[in-house]
Amino acid sequence: MPRGKSNNKSNKKTKKEEVNKMTKLIPPAREPEVMDVDDTGGDETGGAAEEEEEEETQDFGPEFNPTHFQFLVEEKSEQFFEGQFQIGRPIRAAHNFLENPHGAVKLFQGDTCALCAVYGPTEIRMSKELPHRAAVDVLFRPKITGTSKQSQMTGWDSTLEERAIEAKLVGILESVLYLEDDMGAGFNIILHEFENDGCLFSTCINASALALLNAGCSMRCCFAGVTILVNETNNTLIVDPSQSQIDSGFDAMITFVLSNDGHVLFSSIQGRTKTNMIRLCLRQASEACKEIFVFQKQLQLQECSDFINGHSAVKPVNARGLKDEDIKVKLEDMKIDEDEENYEDLDDGEVSSSDS
Amino acid sequence: MAEILLSEVEKYYLVMGVGQDVRVDGRSRSDYRQGDIDLNAVTNSHGSIRARLGETDVIVATKVDLGTPDPDRPDRGTIKFLVDCSPTASPDFEGRGGDELAEKICRILSIAYDKSGTIDLKNLCITPKKYCYVIDVDILVLQCGGNLIDVISMAVKLCLGICELPRVTGLRYDLGQGVPVFSTDEFEFDYLDVKNSPVVVTLPRVGRYFVVDASLEEESCSKGKLAFGVTPDGCVTSIDKLGRGCYQVKSIQAATAMASTVGANVNNTINMRIDSLRELKLRADPKPLSMPMDI
């Protein structure tokens, strides 16, 4: 194959130099540990009180590859923060799930899992702009998308369910966020369902609350959502039921969204039950929500300490694992070609006379 | 995708740095960023991987189904790709916004896998003309931090490598038609042979040089990209030109040479990783043993 320009040769020389540099400076390979994620799938009422744990961040060196390929490191990338709970299923949150969005959180309530990413306040499309306040747009993506044959046959359009969740959440957020502060801006809240083991809606609400806190959006209050199952025959209330408990029948399923200053932001009921049962449910819900608020506070403290200690989501991009002191580039070694001084304007798109 | 706005001075710094083989984050022109792999990101699939390289974050899941083969190719199974750009990557991807990018990536992947013959699709056939495995590969783009196509192709190769195909234990005759019956044992599955499947290496041209694994800033300073599908032995299975830019024949030759060496290395790393992941799956399986251990 005919060689390109002399650039190719200089490329090869620097490659050899790099490999030599590499063999001296790379620290000896460490055995990467494989950690299993603590999978606590509690689905009974009053789930066992979880001890406050945090998974320690392990620092693995890059795998030493003789062909100077230092990527695909075996590292535990999701660090979960667990809270202490008496009521409801154990909750785990990974707060450094994604770096790009302003706020992102992956939340587990027992086995139900939802991811929430928040962009806001930010620019939005002209069609959605409002002149007097910011607009709120919620997008919910279920795990299985698309119209299945089943929905065509039964006539039940699952997309309506998705729109309903989005509309309910927009209503809640419009009363919580300070929208008049950012006119013409927009808040984009994106929810992804990863797993539905019951109470997906309340998981989504809690995930968006954490994501908004993570993004630092100004809110009038913190909010939390909880679902309660009422069974009048056994005279039982189940807080945060799992799918198997829901499937075994209920008289009513009530969802409450409460704020931490004692207000009710949202309530919905499916089924039928007596009014004093609803009052009981509300009392239980406020107890459960208090615990969730404590968890939110602890998670914020955890995020701050992670950020200060340097374990934040933004990881160093150094591909070779070298420290900055080790990369020494002397100014004399950097020779600037005479041609390069007149570099062509990047906007005009014409090919230079000496194309590489 | 959100446009990165850089000042003239930043662009100059970036382009000059690439010329000196020292990029903004200290890498050389042929270095990749650090990446992580997570297994089992999605529970209801036959194999799923979450792959991250720098800021690019992608989840790939495969599902295996029984289907009928294409009438033009009756002795082969099919692999279908679907790319979904989530609005978490950018609010512009909401609704139809991400479809253009998704379609582009889908096309590159299907060409690399279906037409190059690097995965033996005949292994996926159960009964010629009647039944075959249909593998649906779903890709969810969570974050885009540059070099999206490469990360997706790497993740797809890993995912197909750890995808568990349930084994056919026999045929059940229903009114004369033989329908395949799958084994219900968790451990009875086959793996696909993806040793020779290609990985895409995208080379944007920054200034006068090609760079591997460009970040968003470098892509915004580049004049067009060349995406090469490369197999482990360095053969090129497909070339795509993306974006605006024109190349002389010598430049394309130089880029092909670079892509083929880099791609071969990437493929070998991924093949080794697939082997270790397969072993890991067997070791970490939480299925309870039927007999107690101390007998």
Side-chain angles (χ1 to χ4, degrees), chain A residues 7 11 14 18 63 68-69 71-73 77-78 97-101 117 119 125 128 137 139 141 143 188 190 192 195 315 319-320 335 343-344 350-351 355-356, chain B residues 12 20-21 25-26 28-29 31-33 35-36 38 43-44 50 52-53 55 57 84 86-89 91 94 143 154 205 208-209 223 246 248 251 265-266 273:
Chain A
N7 295 327
N11 233 341
T14 46
E18 272 165 39
E63 278 175 43
H68 81 262
F69 256 46
F71 74 132
L72 295 190
V73 172
S77 49
E78 278 182 17
F97 195 75
L98 293 173
E99 299 109 38
N100 240 1
Y119 284 94
R125 281 188 256 180
K128 301 200 176 174
D137 195 21
L139 220 81
R141 291 281 191 96
K143 193 158 63 161
N188 279 306
I190 300 121
H192 272 282
E195 183 78 51
K315 291 186 187 144
R320 292 176 231 158
K335 290 175 194 165
Y343 82 104
E344 60 256 38
E350 70 179 30
V351 180
D355 188 23
S356 58
Chain B
Y12 181 75
Q20 300 291 326
D21 203 20
D25 44 26
S28 83
R29 285 190 288 264
D31 270 344
Y32 275 82
R33 289 169 287 186
D36 317 332
D38 274 341
T43 49
N44 66 333
R50 178 187 171 199
R52 315 203 300 179
L53 202 72
E55 278 201 359
D57 206 329
D84 184 17
S86 158
T88 50
E94 170 191 6
Q143 244 188 199
M154 284 190 242
R205 193 179 126 216
R208 294 165 59 193
Y209 298 90
K223 286 184 194 177
C246 51
Q248 292 200 347
S251 319
N265 280 332
V266 173
R273 179 49 70 88

Coordinates of all heavy atoms in Angstrom, one line a residue, chain A residues 7 11 14 18 63 68-69 71-73 77-78 97-101 117 119 125 128 137 139 141 143 188 190 192 195 315 319-320 335 343-344 350-351 355-356, chain B residues 12 20-21 25-26 28-29 31-33 35-36 38 43-44 50 52-53 55 57 84 86-89 91 94 143 154 205 208-209 223 246 248 251 265-266 273:
Chain A
N7 N 3.7 12.4 7.3 CA 3.0 12.4 8.6 C 2.8 11.0 9.1 O 2.8 10.8 10.3 CB 1.6 13.0 8.3 CG 1.7 14.4 7.9 OD1 2.6 15.1 8.4 ND2 0.8 14.9 7.1
N11 N 3.9 9.5 12.7 CA 2.8 8.8 13.5 C 3.4 7.6 14.1 O 3.2 7.3 15.3 CB 1.7 8.5 12.6 CG 0.3 9.0 13.1 OD1 0.3 9.3 14.3 ND2 -0.6 9.1 12.3
T14 N 6.1 8.1 16.8 CA 5.5 8.5 18.1 C 4.8 7.4 18.8 O 4.8 7.2 20.0 CB 4.5 9.7 18.0 OG1 3.6 9.4 16.9 CG2 5.3 11.0 17.7
E18 N 5.6 6.1 22.5 CA 4.5 6.0 23.5 C 4.6 4.7 24.2 O 4.4 4.6 25.4 CB 3.1 6.1 22.8 CG 2.6 7.4 22.6 CD 1.5 7.4 21.6 OE1 0.7 6.4 21.7 OE2 1.4 8.3 20.8
E63 N -6.3 -1.9 33.2 CA -5.7 -3.2 32.8 C -4.5 -3.0 32.0 O -4.6 -2.2 31.1 CB -6.7 -4.0 32.0 CG -7.8 -4.7 32.8 CD -8.8 -5.4 31.9 OE1 -8.3 -6.0 30.9 OE2 -9.9 -5.3 32.1
H68 N -1.1 -1.2 24.3 CA -1.4 0.1 24.8 C -2.9 0.5 24.7 O -3.2 1.6 24.5 CB -0.5 1.2 24.2 CG -0.8 1.7 22.8 ND1 -0.3 1.2 21.6 CD2 -1.7 2.7 22.4 CE1 -0.7 1.9 20.6 NE2 -1.6 2.7 21.0
F69 N -3.7 -0.5 24.9 CA -5.2 -0.2 24.9 C -5.6 -0.2 26.4 O -5.7 -1.2 27.0 CB -5.9 -1.2 24.1 CG -6.4 -0.6 22.8 CD1 -5.5 0.1 22.1 CD2 -7.6 -0.8 22.4 CE1 -5.8 0.7 20.9 CE2 -8.0 -0.2 21.2 CZ -7.1 0.5 20.5
F71 N -8.5 0.8 27.8 CA -9.9 1.1 28.1 C -10.6 -0.2 28.5 O -10.0 -1.3 28.7 CB -10.6 1.8 26.9 CG -10.9 0.9 25.8 CD1 -12.2 0.9 25.2 CD2 -10.0 0.1 25.2 CE1 -12.5 0.2 24.1 CE2 -10.3 -0.7 24.1 CZ -11.6 -0.6 23.5
L72 N -11.9 -0.2 28.7 CA -12.7 -1.3 29.2 C -12.2 -1.8 30.6 O -11.8 -2.9 30.7 CB -12.7 -2.4 28.2 CG -13.5 -2.1 26.9 CD1 -13.6 -3.4 26.1 CD2 -14.8 -1.5 27.1
V73 N -12.1 -0.9 31.5 CA -11.7 -1.2 32.9 C -12.8 -1.9 33.6 O -14.0 -1.4 33.5 CB -11.3 0.1 33.6 CG1 -11.0 -0.2 35.1 CG2 -10.1 0.7 33.0
S77 N -19.4 0.7 38.4 CA -19.7 2.1 38.1 C -21.0 2.6 38.8 O -21.1 3.8 39.0 CB -19.9 2.2 36.6 OG -20.8 1.2 36.2
E78 N -21.9 1.7 39.3 CA -23.1 2.2 39.9 C -22.9 2.1 41.4 O -22.7 1.0 42.0 CB -24.3 1.5 39.5 CG -24.8 2.0 38.2 CD -26.1 1.2 37.8 OE1 -26.7 0.6 38.7 OE2 -26.5 1.3 36.6
F97 N -25.6 8.7 38.3 CA -25.9 7.7 37.2 C -25.5 8.3 35.8 O -24.8 7.6 35.0 CB -27.4 7.4 37.2 CG -27.7 6.2 36.4 CD1 -27.4 4.9 36.8 CD2 -28.3 6.4 35.1 CE1 -27.7 3.8 36.0 CE2 -28.7 5.3 34.4 CZ -28.4 4.0 34.8
L98 N -25.9 9.6 35.5 CA -25.5 10.2 34.3 C -24.9 11.6 34.6 O -25.3 12.2 35.5 CB -26.7 10.4 33.4 CG -27.5 9.2 32.8 CD1 -28.7 9.6 32.2 CD2 -26.6 8.5 31.8
E99 N -23.9 12.0 33.7 CA -23.3 13.3 34.0 C -23.8 14.4 33.2 O -23.8 15.5 33.6 CB -21.8 13.2 33.7 CG -21.0 12.2 34.5 CD -20.6 11.0 33.6 OE1 -20.3 11.2 32.4 OE2 -20.6 9.8 34.1
N100 N -24.3 14.1 32.0 CA -24.8 15.2 31.1 C -26.0 16.0 31.6 O -26.0 17.2 31.5 CB -25.0 14.7 29.7 CG -24.1 15.3 28.7 OD1 -23.3 16.2 29.0 ND2 -24.3 15.0 27.4
P101 N -27.1 15.3 32.0 CA -28.2 16.1 32.4 C -27.9 16.9 33.7 O -27.0 16.6 34.4 CB -29.3 15.0 32.7 CG -28.8 13.8 32.1 CD -27.3 13.9 32.0
A117 N -34.1 11.8 34.6 CA -33.1 12.8 34.2 C -33.8 14.2 34.1 O -34.9 14.2 33.5 CB -32.4 12.4 32.9
Y119 N -33.5 18.3 32.9 CA -32.8 19.4 32.3 C -33.6 20.7 32.6 O -34.8 20.7 32.3 CB -32.8 19.3 30.7 CG -31.8 18.3 30.2 CD1 -32.2 17.0 29.9 CD2 -30.5 18.7 29.9 CE1 -31.3 16.1 29.4 CE2 -29.6 17.8 29.4 CZ -30.0 16.5 29.2 OH -29.1 15.6 28.6
R125 N -38.4 24.3 22.9 CA -38.9 24.6 21.5 C -39.9 25.8 21.6 O -40.6 25.9 22.6 CB -39.6 23.4 20.9 CG -38.6 22.4 20.4 CD -39.4 21.3 19.6 NE -39.4 20.1 20.4 CZ -40.0 19.0 20.0 NH1 -40.7 19.0 18.9 NH2 -40.0 17.9 20.8
K128 N -43.4 25.3 22.7 CA -43.8 25.0 24.1 C -43.5 26.2 25.0 O -43.8 26.1 26.2 CB -43.0 23.8 24.5 CG -43.3 22.6 23.7 CD -42.9 21.3 24.4 CE -43.3 20.1 23.5 NZ -42.9 18.8 24.0
D137 N -42.2 20.0 31.1 CA -42.5 18.9 30.1 C -42.0 17.6 30.7 O -40.8 17.5 31.0 CB -41.8 19.2 28.8 CG -42.3 18.4 27.7 OD1 -43.5 17.9 27.8 OD2 -41.6 18.2 26.7
L139 N -41.6 13.5 30.2 CA -41.6 12.4 29.2 C -41.4 11.1 30.0 O -40.5 10.9 30.7 CB -40.4 12.6 28.3 CG -40.7 12.3 26.8 CD1 -41.4 13.5 26.3 CD2 -39.5 12.0 26.1
R141 N -41.0 7.0 29.5 CA -40.7 5.9 28.6 C -40.9 4.6 29.3 O -40.0 4.3 30.1 CB -39.3 6.1 28.0 CG -39.0 7.2 27.1 CD -39.6 7.0 25.7 NE -39.1 8.0 24.8 CZ -38.1 7.8 24.0 NH1 -37.4 6.7 24.1 NH2 -37.7 8.8 23.2
K143 N -40.8 0.4 29.7 CA -39.7 -0.5 29.3 C -40.0 -1.1 27.9 O -39.2 -1.3 27.1 CB -39.7 -1.6 30.3 CG -38.4 -2.5 30.1 CD -38.1 -3.2 31.4 CE -39.1 -4.2 31.8 NZ -38.5 -5.2 32.8
N188 N -37.3 20.0 31.5 CA -37.6 18.7 30.8 C -37.3 17.6 31.8 O -36.2 17.5 32.3 CB -36.6 18.5 29.6 CG -37.1 19.3 28.4 OD1 -38.3 19.1 28.0 ND2 -36.3 20.1 27.9
I190 N -37.3 13.6 32.2 CA -37.4 12.4 31.4 C -37.4 11.2 32.4 O -36.4 11.1 33.2 CB -36.2 12.3 30.4 CG1 -36.3 13.5 29.5 CG2 -36.3 11.0 29.6 CD1 -35.1 14.3 29.5
H192 N -37.5 7.0 32.7 CA -37.4 5.7 32.1 C -37.8 4.6 33.0 O -37.2 4.6 34.1 CB -35.9 5.4 31.6 CG -35.6 6.0 30.3 ND1 -36.0 5.3 29.1 CD2 -34.9 7.1 29.9 CE1 -35.5 6.1 28.1 NE2 -34.9 7.1 28.6
E195 N -38.0 -1.3 35.6 CA -38.6 -2.6 36.1 C -39.8 -2.1 36.9 O -39.8 -1.1 37.6 CB -37.6 -3.2 37.1 CG -38.0 -4.5 37.7 CD -37.8 -5.7 36.8 OE1 -36.7 -5.8 36.2 OE2 -38.8 -6.4 36.6
K315 N -15.4 11.7 35.9 CA -14.2 10.9 36.1 C -13.1 11.5 35.3 O -13.3 12.1 34.2 CB -14.4 9.5 35.7 CG -15.4 8.8 36.7 CD -15.5 7.3 36.3 CE -16.6 6.7 37.1 NZ -17.3 5.7 36.4
A319 N -6.7 8.5 29.7 CA -6.8 7.1 29.2 C -5.7 6.2 29.7 O -6.0 5.0 29.9 CB -6.8 7.1 27.6
R320 N -4.6 6.7 29.9 CA -3.5 5.8 30.3 C -3.3 5.6 31.8 O -2.4 4.9 32.2 CB -2.2 6.2 29.7 CG -2.2 6.1 28.2 CD -0.9 6.7 27.6 NE -1.2 7.7 26.5 CZ -0.4 8.6 26.1 NH1 0.8 8.7 26.7 NH2 -0.7 9.4 25.2
K335 N 7.7 21.2 18.1 CA 8.1 22.0 17.0 C 6.9 22.4 16.2 O 6.1 21.5 15.8 CB 9.1 21.2 16.1 CG 10.4 21.0 16.7 CD 11.3 20.2 15.9 CE 12.5 19.7 16.7 NZ 13.2 18.6 16.1
Y343 N -2.8 28.3 9.5 CA -3.8 27.2 9.5 C -5.0 27.8 8.8 O -5.3 28.9 8.9 CB -4.1 26.7 10.9 CG -5.1 27.5 11.6 CD1 -6.4 27.1 11.8 CD2 -4.7 28.7 12.2 CE1 -7.3 27.8 12.5 CE2 -5.6 29.4 13.0 CZ -6.9 29.0 13.1 OH -7.8 29.7 13.8
E344 N -5.7 26.9 8.1 CA -6.8 27.4 7.3 C -8.0 27.6 8.2 O -8.2 26.9 9.2 CB -7.2 26.4 6.2 CG -7.6 25.0 6.6 CD -6.5 24.0 6.3 OE1 -5.3 24.4 6.5 OE2 -6.8 22.9 5.9
E350 N -12.8 24.3 2.7 CA -12.1 23.9 1.5 C -10.9 23.1 1.9 O -10.3 23.3 2.9 CB -11.7 25.1 0.6 CG -10.6 26.0 1.3 CD -10.3 27.2 0.4 OE1 -11.1 27.7 -0.3 OE2 -9.1 27.6 0.5
V351 N -10.5 22.2 1.0 CA -9.4 21.3 1.3 C -8.1 22.0 1.0 O -8.0 22.7 0.0 CB -9.5 20.0 0.4 CG1 -8.4 19.1 0.7 CG2 -10.8 19.3 0.7
D355 N -3.1 18.2 1.4 CA -4.1 17.4 2.2 C -3.4 16.2 2.8 O -2.7 15.5 2.2 CB -5.2 17.0 1.3 CG -6.4 16.4 2.1 OD1 -6.5 16.7 3.3 OD2 -7.1 15.6 1.5
S356 N -3.7 15.9 4.1 CA -3.0 14.8 4.8 C -3.8 13.5 4.4 O -5.0 13.5 4.4 CB -3.0 15.0 6.3 OG -4.3 15.2 6.7
Chain B
Y12 N -8.2 26.6 17.9 CA -6.8 26.6 17.5 C -6.0 25.7 18.4 O -5.2 24.9 17.9 CB -6.3 28.0 17.6 CG -4.9 28.2 17.1 CD1 -4.5 28.2 15.8 CD2 -3.9 28.4 18.1 CE1 -3.2 28.3 15.4 CE2 -2.6 28.6 17.7 CZ -2.2 28.6 16.4 OH -0.9 28.7 16.0
Q20 N 0.3 17.9 17.3 CA 1.5 17.5 18.1 C 1.2 16.2 18.8 O 2.1 15.8 19.7 CB 1.7 18.6 19.2 CG 2.0 20.0 18.7 CD 3.3 20.0 17.9 OE1 4.3 19.3 18.3 NE2 3.4 20.8 16.9
D21 N 0.2 15.5 18.5 CA -0.2 14.2 19.1 C -0.5 14.3 20.6 O -0.4 13.3 21.3 CB 1.0 13.2 18.9 CG 0.5 11.8 19.0 OD1 -0.7 11.6 18.8 OD2 1.3 10.9 19.2
D25 N -7.2 16.2 26.4 CA -7.1 15.5 27.7 C -5.9 14.7 27.8 O -5.8 13.8 28.7 CB -8.4 14.6 27.8 CG -8.7 13.8 26.5 OD1 -7.7 13.6 25.7 OD2 -9.8 13.5 26.3
G26 N -4.9 14.9 27.1 CA -3.6 14.2 27.2 C -3.4 13.0 26.4 O -2.3 12.3 26.4
S28 N -3.1 10.4 23.1 CA -2.5 10.5 21.7 C -3.6 10.3 20.7 O -4.8 10.0 21.1 CB -1.4 9.5 21.5 OG -2.0 8.3 21.1
R29 N -3.3 10.5 19.4 CA -4.4 10.4 18.4 C -5.0 9.0 18.4 O -6.1 8.9 17.9 CB -3.8 10.8 17.1 CG -3.5 12.2 16.9 CD -3.2 12.5 15.4 NE -1.9 12.1 15.1 CZ -0.8 12.8 15.1 NH1 -0.9 14.1 15.4 NH2 0.3 12.3 14.7
D31 N -5.5 6.9 21.0 CA -5.9 6.4 22.3 C -7.4 6.5 22.5 O -8.0 7.5 22.1 CB -5.2 7.2 23.5 CG -3.9 6.6 23.9 OD1 -3.6 5.5 23.5 OD2 -3.1 7.3 24.5
Y32 N -8.0 5.5 23.3 CA -9.4 5.6 23.6 C -9.5 6.1 25.0 O -8.6 6.1 25.8 CB -10.0 4.2 23.6 CG -10.4 3.7 22.3 CD1 -9.6 3.2 21.3 CD2 -11.8 3.8 21.9 CE1 -10.0 2.8 20.1 CE2 -12.2 3.4 20.7 CZ -11.3 2.9 19.8 OH -11.8 2.5 18.5
R33 N -10.7 6.6 25.3 CA -10.9 7.1 26.7 C -11.2 5.8 27.6 O -11.5 4.8 27.1 CB -12.2 8.0 26.8 CG -12.0 9.3 26.1 CD -13.3 10.1 26.0 NE -14.1 9.5 24.9 CZ -15.2 10.0 24.5 NH1 -15.7 11.1 25.1 NH2 -15.9 9.5 23.5
G35 N -13.3 3.3 29.8 CA -14.7 2.8 29.7 C -15.0 1.8 30.7 O -14.1 1.1 31.2
D36 N -16.3 1.7 31.0 CA -16.8 0.6 31.9 C -17.8 -0.2 31.2 O -18.5 0.3 30.3 CB -17.4 1.2 33.2 CG -16.6 2.3 33.7 OD1 -15.4 2.4 33.6 OD2 -17.3 3.2 34.4
D38 N -21.2 -2.8 32.3 CA -22.0 -3.3 33.4 C -22.9 -4.4 32.7 O -23.5 -4.2 31.7 CB -23.0 -2.3 33.9 CG -22.3 -1.5 35.0 OD1 -21.3 -1.9 35.6 OD2 -22.8 -0.4 35.3
T43 N -33.5 -6.5 33.0 CA -33.8 -7.8 33.5 C -34.5 -8.7 32.5 O -34.4 -9.9 32.5 CB -34.5 -7.8 34.8 OG1 -35.6 -6.9 34.6 CG2 -33.7 -7.3 35.9
N44 N -35.4 -8.2 31.7 CA -36.2 -9.1 30.9 C -35.7 -9.4 29.5 O -36.4 -9.4 28.5 CB -37.7 -8.6 30.8 CG -37.7 -7.3 30.0 OD1 -36.8 -6.6 29.9 ND2 -38.9 -7.0 29.3
R50 N -24.5 -2.4 29.7 CA -24.4 -1.0 29.7 C -23.0 -0.6 29.5 O -22.1 -1.0 30.3 CB -24.9 -0.5 31.1 CG -24.9 1.1 31.1 CD -25.2 1.6 32.5 NE -24.9 3.0 32.5 CZ -24.7 3.7 33.6 NH1 -24.8 3.1 34.7 NH2 -24.4 5.0 33.5
R52 N -20.0 2.4 28.8 CA -19.7 3.8 28.9 C -18.3 4.0 28.5 O -17.4 3.3 28.8 CB -19.8 4.3 30.4 CG -21.1 3.8 31.0 CD -21.5 4.6 32.2 NE -20.5 4.7 33.2 CZ -20.6 5.4 34.3 NH1 -21.7 6.1 34.5 NH2 -19.7 5.5 35.2
L53 N -18.1 5.0 27.7 CA -16.7 5.4 27.3 C -16.7 6.9 27.4 O -17.3 7.6 26.6 CB -16.5 5.0 25.8 CG -15.1 4.8 25.4 CD1 -14.5 3.5 26.0 CD2 -15.0 4.7 23.9
E55 N -18.0 10.2 28.3 CA -19.3 10.6 28.7 C -20.4 9.9 27.9 O -21.6 10.1 28.1 CB -19.5 12.1 28.5 CG -19.0 12.9 29.6 CD -19.5 14.3 29.7 OE1 -20.4 14.6 28.8 OE2 -19.2 15.0 30.6
D57 N -22.9 7.0 27.0 CA -23.5 6.0 27.8 C -24.6 5.3 27.0 O -25.5 6.0 26.4 CB -24.1 6.7 29.0 CG -24.3 5.8 30.2 OD1 -24.4 4.6 30.0 OD2 -24.2 6.3 31.3
D84 N -32.7 3.7 19.9 CA -33.6 4.6 20.4 C -32.8 5.7 21.1 O -32.0 5.4 22.1 CB -34.5 3.9 21.4 CG -35.6 4.8 22.0 OD1 -35.8 5.9 21.4 OD2 -36.1 4.5 23.1
S86 N -32.6 8.4 23.7 CA -33.4 8.9 24.8 C -33.3 10.4 24.9 O -32.2 10.9 24.7 CB -33.0 8.2 26.0 OG -33.4 8.9 27.2
P87 N -34.3 11.1 25.3 CA -34.2 12.5 25.6 C -33.3 12.8 26.7 O -32.9 14.0 26.9 CB -35.6 12.9 25.9 CG -36.5 11.9 25.4 CD -35.7 10.6 25.4
T88 N -32.8 11.8 27.5 CA -31.8 12.2 28.5 C -30.5 12.6 27.9 O -29.8 13.4 28.5 CB -31.5 10.9 29.4 OG1 -31.2 9.8 28.6 CG2 -32.6 10.6 30.3
A89 N -30.3 12.2 26.7 CA -29.0 12.6 26.0 C -29.1 14.1 25.6 O -28.2 14.9 25.8 CB -28.8 11.8 24.8
P91 N -32.5 17.2 25.2 CA -34.0 17.4 25.1 C -34.5 17.5 23.6 O -35.6 17.3 23.4 CB -34.2 18.7 25.8 CG -33.1 18.9 26.7 CD -31.9 18.3 26.0
E94 N -36.5 14.4 21.9 CA -37.9 14.0 22.3 C -38.7 13.8 21.0 O -38.6 14.6 20.1 CB -38.4 15.2 23.1 CG -39.8 15.1 23.4 CD -40.3 16.4 24.0 OE1 -39.6 17.4 24.1 OE2 -41.5 16.4 24.4
Q143 N -26.6 8.9 26.9 CA -25.8 10.1 26.9 C -24.9 10.0 25.7 O -24.4 9.0 25.4 CB -24.9 10.1 28.2 CG -25.3 11.2 29.1 CD -24.3 11.3 30.2 OE1 -24.6 11.9 31.2 NE2 -23.1 10.8 30.1
M154 N -19.3 -1.5 19.8 CA -18.6 -2.3 20.8 C -19.6 -3.0 21.7 O -19.5 -4.2 22.0 CB -17.6 -1.4 21.6 CG -16.4 -1.0 20.9 SD -15.3 -0.3 22.1 CE -15.1 1.3 21.4
R205 N -11.7 13.9 11.0 CA -10.4 14.6 10.6 C -10.4 15.9 11.3 O -11.2 16.8 11.0 CB -10.4 14.7 9.1 CG -9.1 15.1 8.6 CD -9.1 15.3 7.1 NE -8.5 16.6 6.8 CZ -8.9 17.3 5.8 NH1 -9.9 16.9 5.0 NH2 -8.4 18.5 5.6
R208 N -5.2 18.3 10.2 CA -4.6 17.5 9.1 C -4.5 16.0 9.5 O -3.8 15.3 8.8 CB -3.3 18.0 8.7 CG -3.4 19.4 8.0 CD -2.1 20.1 7.9 NE -1.2 19.3 7.2 CZ 0.1 19.5 7.1 NH1 0.6 20.5 7.8 NH2 0.9 18.8 6.4
Y209 N -5.0 15.7 10.7 CA -4.8 14.3 11.2 C -6.1 13.7 11.5 O -7.1 14.4 11.8 CB -3.9 14.3 12.4 CG -2.6 14.9 12.2 CD1 -2.3 16.2 12.3 CD2 -1.5 14.0 11.8 CE1 -1.0 16.7 12.1 CE2 -0.3 14.5 11.6 CZ 0.0 15.8 11.7 OH 1.2 16.3 11.5
K223 N -13.7 18.1 10.2 CA -14.3 18.3 8.9 C -14.7 16.9 8.4 O -14.0 16.2 7.8 CB -13.2 18.8 7.9 CG -12.9 20.2 8.0 CD -11.9 20.5 6.9 CE -11.2 21.8 7.1 NZ -10.2 22.1 6.1
C246 N -14.2 16.6 2.2 CA -13.8 15.7 1.1 C -12.4 15.3 1.3 O -11.6 16.0 1.9 CB -14.0 16.5 -0.3 SG -13.2 18.1 -0.3
Q248 N -8.7 13.3 -0.2 CA -8.0 12.8 -1.3 C -7.8 11.3 -1.1 O -8.0 10.8 0.0 CB -6.6 13.4 -1.4 CG -6.7 14.9 -1.7 CD -5.3 15.4 -2.2 OE1 -4.3 14.8 -2.1 NE2 -5.4 16.6 -2.7
S251 N -5.5 10.3 1.6 CA -6.0 10.4 3.0 C -6.8 9.2 3.4 O -6.7 8.7 4.5 CB -6.9 11.7 3.1 OG -6.3 12.7 2.5
N265 N -6.9 -4.1 17.4 CA -6.7 -4.1 18.8 C -7.9 -4.1 19.6 O -8.1 -4.8 20.6 CB -5.8 -2.8 19.2 CG -4.4 -3.1 18.9 OD1 -3.9 -4.2 18.9 ND2 -3.7 -2.0 18.6
V266 N -8.9 -3.2 19.2 CA -10.2 -3.1 20.0 C -10.9 -4.4 19.9 O -11.4 -4.9 21.0 CB -11.1 -2.0 19.3 CG1 -12.4 -2.0 19.9 CG2 -10.4 -0.7 19.4
R273 N -12.7 -9.8 26.6 CA -13.7 -9.4 27.6 C -14.9 -10.3 27.5 O -15.5 -10.7 28.5 CB -14.0 -7.9 27.4 CG -15.1 -7.5 28.4 CD -14.8 -7.8 29.8 NE -13.7 -7.1 30.3 CZ -13.8 -5.9 30.9 NH1 -15.0 -5.4 31.1 NH2 -12.7 -5.3 31.4

